[in-house]
Structures are given as C-alpha cells and as structure tokens.
Amino acid sequence: MKKQLLFAALFLLGGLATQAQHVRLNGYTSYVFDDKVDSYYDQSSYYKGTIKGSFFWGAGIEFSPRPFYAIELSYMRQDSHLPDFQYFYNGAKASDVKFANNWIMIGGLRYFPTHSERVEPYMGAQMGMALINTENPGIGGKNSSFTKFAWGIKGGTNIWLSDKVALKLQMQLMSAVQALGGGFYLGTGGAGVGLSSYSSLLQFSLGGGLSFKLGNALATKPATAR
C-alpha cells in the first residue's frame, strides 16, 4: 500500500511539473551531525547510543505553480552506524549497529526577493516517510526494516552562477517520529520482548548542492527588492 501511494505521488507530481513549465532539478550533498538515541523503560530494560555523523546525499524535482512558491519531491540517503550501542536486557550488552535511512519527502518552498537576481534565499517544510534499515551483529546479524512518518524543515540560498545553474547553500533538520525501538528494531530482546518504548530521530545537516533550471526561466526568479 505504501509503495502504491508513493508511485501515485510520483505520477501526480510528474504530471503537475510538466504542466507548470517552471521546473528545477536539485542535487544535494551534506554532512549529518551525530544524533543521540536512547530509551528507558525500567531499570532492567533500556538502551542508548549515538548515530554517528555521516555523508548525506540525494536529489529532488521542483516545480513552481506561482512566483516565489514551489513544490518539491525529494529523496535523501544516509548510511551510518551506532558504535558501542549499549542495551540492558537480561544483562548488559553492546554492539556496533549498522544504520541506513532513505527519506522520501514532499514539501513546499518559499523564495524571498533580494536586491540581486543572483541571490535567492528560501525556506521550506516537508513531510513524508523514512525507510530505515538496521543490522545488529551482536545478536547474529539480525536485520530490521521499517517505515516511519517523517518531517523536515530547511533553509538556504541559491547563488546563480549562470541563467541555468545555481550553487545551493543549505541547512536542514529532519526527524523520523518514534523511529527506533529496543525490542524489535535494534534487537535487544527479540520481537515482542524487551523494550517497548521508542526514540525519535532528529538529524541536523549542513551542506548544499546544485540546482538546474529546465525550460524557461523560473517563476520564482527573485525580483529586485524595493
């Protein structure tokens, strides 16, 4: 069902984008900082660890239905791990949990006019889903895959190097709500056993990328501020 909804969203956005005639392709690369996760159920059931900072990359397609406003569908990917991940269930344990996250997001952008047509600041909000995979070698390489609701906010500036290509400078905050649970997702005691509480991901990144205009000039092209 989730895949069907995703394909429907892609089809709808693709159709709207071709009609809007103001389309951009965005490429992203950034660094995600460390994110601590922990959950305390009782004195004999808890876990804690840190998702290490890592490379964050992806792409998006953006179209502008009206001046200074745009809609973007994006995909982002992060590969990391939790070194010395510690949990307590029937005795203290630790392992190096591998972690991969695929973010599929849709959201709106607001561009702001400036005195220069080459500088284009923006802010935006997103929502979608995080497809998370973990592998815990401490319990025989147990793999878990799950999907969680996600949201994000971002802000930055496009610096247009030419009429078609811009350098992006961006900061972004993304969260997967109640993403990591002890009992199943990180394998502290097996499905249905162990921790029953959860920890949300909250990941902050700094970076940028490139933006490419397709077709005519975008309706979001900044006007000279007065």
Side-chain angles (χ1 to χ4, degrees), residues 1-12 129:
M1 183 63 179
K2 292 176 180 177
K3 289 184 178 179
Q4 292 174 346
L5 291 175
L6 175 60
F7 290 144
L10 288 169
F11 179 80
L12 177 61
M129 56 186 177

Side-chain angles (χ1 to χ4, degrees), residues 131-160:
L131 289 73
I132 303 171
N133 298 288
T134 63
E135 179 181 343
N136 191 341
I139 54 171
K142 175 175 179 172
N143 297 316
S144 295
S145 299
F146 48 98
T147 302
K148 290 293 181 177
F149 171 77
W151 61 267
I153 55 175
K154 62 182 179 179
T157 300
N158 291 329
I159 301 174
W160 290 96

Side-chain angles (χ1 to χ4, degrees), residues 113-133:
T114 67
H115 291 284
S116 172
E117 292 186 353
R118 295 293 181 184
V119 179
E120 185 184 40
Y122 62 88
M123 294 186 66
Q126 304 167 290
M127 62 182 298
M129 56 186 177
L131 289 73
I132 303 171
N133 298 288

